[in-house]
Amino acid sequence: MLNIIIFGPPGSGKGTQSARIVKKYHLVHLSTGDLLREEMAKDSPLGREVRSFIDKGMLVPDEIVLRELYEKASEHLSSPGLIFDGFPRTIVQAKMLDQMLESREIPVDLVLSVNVDQEELFKRMMGRAEDSGRSDDTAEIIRHRIDVYKEQTFPLIDFYKKQGKIVSINGMSPVDQVFGKITKAIDTYLETREIIPEVQ
Ligand code: B4P
């Protein structure tokens, strides 16, 4: 199995790159953003609760995200591998993921940390806003999402650095070039089991 976490600020291209990784390495894509948006689209009581957080640019509470992800992940544990996109986003989520995978003796192999500067993030998400129809892609909410990332998600870099799993990817280039950097990190790992700390 090959299990990957893709991590980065909102708009760094996690979803964009995950789609390419899934195709090339035949992994199952688990995106908590997509799962939560599906719930919102149903307009169920849970969907409405989820919306009340997403529309403010806040993180959805850990217990909701964990339950959704756990259910989805459990269906796919015998697949060739998983890519966790946008999860974990808090230390609590990271610890729970470790527990969930360790209890099944499935390790996380690589954590891809995609780095993009703040101005570019803002530009990309405002660009996406025109056709995404996403209620959280407005200037004010985007700024808040970036702040929430800095406070609650950024500390995960140290968490995974301590585990020696992080690969820092320079995400400030066109989509295909970023994907080239990601495949370099994954292919090196598959061939040598070595983790390149940084791909510029
Ligand atoms: P997500 O769905 O994870 O989305 P995201 O962070 O906004 O975007 P991503 O990084 O995937 O960017 P994309 O590829 O689309 O989260 C949405 C919300 O759900 C969160 O704010 C939170 O409220 C909630 N949530 C999700 N997971 C959670 C969790 N675990 N815990 C709690 N809450 C959770 O790229 C953005 C744009 O840039 C696109 O238009 C794309 O085309 C463009 N782009 C991508 N790469 C580019 C490149 N290299 N060059 C130029 N443009 C590029």
Side-chain angles (χ1 to χ4, degrees):
M1 256 189 127
L2 173 67
N3 297 307
I4 295 176
I5 291 174
I6 186 159
F7 170 92
S12 55
K14 302 181 291 287
T16 305
Q17 296 299 332
S18 293
R20 286 172 167 71
I21 297 170
V22 163
K23 212 163 157 199
K24 181 166 165 80
Y25 299 97
H26 312 290
L27 308 182
V28 171
H29 185 198
L30 296 171
S31 157
T32 41
D34 288 350
L35 290 173
L36 296 169
R37 279 186 290 275
E38 272 167 35
E39 218 35 72
M40 276 162 51
K42 287 184 207 156
D43 202 29
S44 59
L46 175 62
R48 286 194 287 276
E49 192 184 352
V50 164
R51 181 181 290 285
S52 70
F53 295 99
I54 291 192
D55 280 3
K56 293 192 193 93
M58 293 161 69
L59 293 183
V60 174
D62 289 332
E63 58 275 17
I64 297 180
V65 179
L66 287 163
R67 198 174 56 225
E68 292 293 301
L69 182 95
Y70 191 83
E71 270 178 30
K72 198 73 187 172
S74 304
E75 294 167 18
H76 295 290
L77 289 173
S78 58
S79 73
L82 303 168
I83 178 154
F84 295 94
D85 164 10
F87 181 92
R89 260 176 157 98
T90 63
I91 297 281
V92 171
Q93 291 181 12
K95 288 184 177 162
M96 292 300 291
L97 180 66
D98 274 358
Q99 268 179 27
M100 179 179 104
L101 295 177
E102 269 163 26
S103 67
R104 292 174 163 86
E105 296 181 12
I106 301 171
V108 168
D109 295 285
L110 283 177
V111 180
L112 304 172
S113 163
V114 184
N115 304 310
V116 174
D117 70 33
Q118 199 162 319
E119 237 173 83
E120 173 72 12
L121 293 174
F122 191 75
K123 211 173 83 194
R124 287 185 191 175
M125 283 189 285
M126 287 307 285
R128 177 176 69 183
E130 284 173 23
D131 25 54
S132 73
R134 271 176 56 167
S135 46
D136 57 345
D137 279 347
T138 65
E140 192 192 340
I141 304 297
I142 289 171
R143 284 206 188 87
H144 186 59
R145 285 163 61 200
I146 295 174
D147 288 344
V148 167
Y149 167 82
K150 285 187 204 154
E151 278 163 30
Q152 300 190 44
T153 311
F154 185 76
L156 286 175
I157 293 188
D158 261 357
F159 180 89
Y160 285 113
K161 260 191 192 155
K162 284 188 191 133
Q163 296 189 359
K165 290 179 178 165
I166 219 151
V167 183
S168 170
I169 306 276
N170 179 349
M172 293 284 293
S173 0
V175 173
D176 288 344
Q177 283 180 30
V178 176
F179 186 57
K181 298 173 199 183
I182 288 177
T183 54
K184 182 176 171 193
I186 298 177
D187 291 345
T188 304
Y189 177 78
L190 289 174
E191 282 158 24
T192 64
R193 295 282 138 183
E194 272 179 32
I195 292 175
I196 320 175
E198 197 172 332
V199 192
Q200 274 302 327

